[in-house]
Amino acid sequence: MEYKDRVEAALGKGTMRRRSDRPQAIISAAIRLVGEHGFATTRLEDVAEAAGVSKAAIYLYFESKEDLFFALVREGALPTVADTNAAVARHEGSLSDLLQEIILGIGHLMAHTELGTIVKIVAAEARNFPELVTYHRDEVVARAMGTISSVIEKGIASGEFRPCDARAQAALCIFPVLMNGIWMNSIGPDPSIVDPDALLKAHAETFIRGIAA
Amino acid sequence: MEYKDRVEAALGKGTMRRRSDRPQAIISAAIRLVGEHGFATTRLEDVAEAAGVSKAAIYLYFESKEDLFFALVREGALPTVADTNAAVARHEGSLSDLLQEIILGIGHLMAHTELGTIVKIVAAEARNFPELVTYHRDEVVARAMGTISSVIEKGIASGEFRPCDARAQAALCIFPVLMNGIWMNSIGPDPSIVDPDALLKAHAETFIRGIAA
DNA sequence: CGCAGGTGACTGACCAGTCAGTAACATGTA
DNA sequence: TACATGTTACTGACTGGTCAGTCACCTGCG
C-alpha cells in the first residue's frame, strides 16, 4: 500500500497514527459490529457506514478485513492491562483490598465497555486466527495473570492468604470476571438471571474469603 | 418435502429420527466444525465430508443450515442438564460434597466433551440468533442455576453456608466452569497457563470455603 | 497545478440451496 | 428363477446472491 508506506515512513513504523481520527472511528465501529455479529458475518460496508465513510476508505487505512480485525483486537485490550499494572504498582494497604479493587475495576470494564466485547471476539474467533491466540495469550492473559498471581503469592508469604496454587487462584480470580463480560456481550444484560454488578461484588467477597488464611 | 412429511407422519412431528444414524453423524461433525470455525465460516460441504455424505444429503435431514444449527445446540446441552438434576436428586451427604461433585462433574464435561463447544458456540452466535438465547436461557441456564441455587439455599438454611445471595453464588459457582470450557475450546489446552482439571479442583475448594459459614 | 483524501461502480470467488439423475434394495407377478 | 415396477437414500453439477477487494475518477486545498 503506497499511502500507508508513505505515512509510516513519515510517522514511524508500527501503530499507525494519522492526523485524522478516521482509523479510530473505523475501529470503534468494527468492534461494535464484530462483537455483535462475528468477524465473518460483519460486512465491511456496514462498518464503513457506521464510521461515516465509504467501504473503499477502509482500504486507505487497513490492508484487508483481517488487518482491521487484528488492529481492533490489539488496540482494544492493551490500555486495560497497562492500567491494571499501574494500579497494582501504586497500591498501598491490604492485599485483600487490592484484589477487590482489581476485580471490581476490571469487572466493570468487562461488563460495560468495549473490553468485554474484545474478550468475546477473541474467544469466538480464536480457532480461525491462531496468531490472535498467541498474541493475546502472551501480551494480555499472561501479563494479567502474572500480576494477579504475584499479588496472591505476596499474600501467601505474608500470611494474609492460605497456602495454595497462586496461578490457579489467579485464573479463578479473573475467570468469573471474563465470563461476566462474555455474558453481557452475548446473552445480554438480564438482571432476572444475573445482575452483573451484584455478581462482581459477590465474587470479590466469596473469592477473598475462599483464599483467606 | 414429500418424503419428510411421510416420515414425520409415521414417527411424529418435530425432531426427525431416521433408522440410519446419519443425522447424528451430521450433527457431530457440525458441532466440531462450527465449534472451531463459527457458524458463518463453516461450509456445509465440509460438514458433509466429515460426516461421510454429500452436501445435498444434509438437506434430506435438515431444512437449512440454520435448522441444522438449532438442532446441534438443542441436542448438545439437554442431556447434561438432565443428568445434573438427577445427580442432585439422588445425592445424600453434605451439601459441600454435592457442590464439589457438581463442579467437578459439569466441569469435566465442559472441559473435555462437546458440551464446552456448545457453550462457546452459543456465546459466539447469541446476537445472530436471538431465539437461541431465549431457548438456552430458559431451558439450560435457568434450570442449571435453579438447581444449584436451591442447593445453596438449603445449605444456608441448615447453617452449612453463610447467609448470602444464593442466585449470585450459583452464578459464581458455574461461571468459572463455563469459562474453563470456553477457554479449552478457544485458546485451547495449555497447561502453562491453566491446567483445566487442577483449576476445577481449586475452584471447588476455594468456592466452598468462600461460602462456608 | 499537484496531491492528499476520498468515492461509486464493478468483478471474481465463494457457497447455500436446488435439481435431475442413479444405485441399491424391496415388492409383485408369472 | 427372472424380470418389471416402485421406493429409499443419496450424489454431482449447477445457479443466484453476497461481499471482499479493486480501480478509474472526483474534489477541495495550499
Side-chain angles (χ1 to χ4, degrees), chain B:
Chain B
M1 298 262 135
E2 289 176 31
Y3 173 65
K4 191 192 159 192
D5 289 344
R6 263 174 291 142
V7 172
E8 280 192 348
L11 300 175
K13 188 82 186 169
T15 318
M16 270 202 327
R17 285 244 162 247
R18 310 299 169 116
R19 275 154 299 172
S20 83
D21 55 359
R22 285 268 189 269
Q24 196 50 55
I26 293 170
I27 286 180
S28 293
I31 289 179
R32 189 169 56 78
L33 289 171
V34 173
E36 274 173 33
H37 304 117
F39 174 73
T41 319
T42 299
R43 296 171 18 168
L44 240 28
E45 218 150 2
D46 292 339
V47 173
E49 196 187 334
V53 294
S54 71
K55 187 177 64 162
I58 292 177
Y59 287 86
L60 298 174
Y61 302 104
F62 303 96
E63 301 233 332
S64 62
K65 193 185 184 187
E66 210 175 298
D67 185 41
L68 166 59
F69 183 59
F70 287 145
L72 155 184
V73 171
R74 227 168 276 132
E75 304 229 342
L78 278 190
T80 303
V81 177
D83 289 357
T84 304
N85 278 331
V88 169
R90 72 164 175 275
H91 180 83
E92 292 169 22
S94 84
L95 296 171
S96 297
D97 289 351
L98 176 54
L99 278 186
Q100 170 154 352
E101 195 180 305
I102 292 174
I103 289 172
L104 297 180
I106 302 189
H108 182 266
L109 295 174
M110 282 290 167
H112 302 295
T113 71
E114 281 177 352
L115 187 62
T117 315
I118 299 286
V119 171
K120 180 193 160 184
I121 291 172
V122 171
E125 306 291 346
R127 288 267 197 264
N128 289 330
F129 300 98
E131 318 94 291
L132 198 67
V133 172
T134 316
Y135 172 81
H136 244 253
R137 197 191 46 210
D138 298 346
E139 300 298 321
V140 182
V141 178
R143 282 183 202 200
M145 298 255 299
T147 302
I148 295 173
S149 70
S150 77
V151 172
I152 293 174
E153 266 162 17
K154 212 154 88 178
I156 295 172
S158 77
E160 189 174 343
F161 302 141
R162 67 182 168 88
C164 56
D165 176 351
R167 293 192 65 76
Q169 297 299 335
L172 290 175
C173 180
I174 49 171
F175 268 29
V177 172
L178 295 178
M179 192 64 221
N180 199 37
I182 292 177
W183 188 280
M184 286 290 286
N185 278 277
S186 306
I187 282 68
D190 183 347
S192 75
I193 302 271
V194 264
D195 173 57
D197 299 316
L199 189 113
L200 289 173
K201 265 192 69 186
H203 172 50
E205 189 182 352
T206 299
F207 178 72
I208 290 166
R209 275 173 180 263
I211 61 167

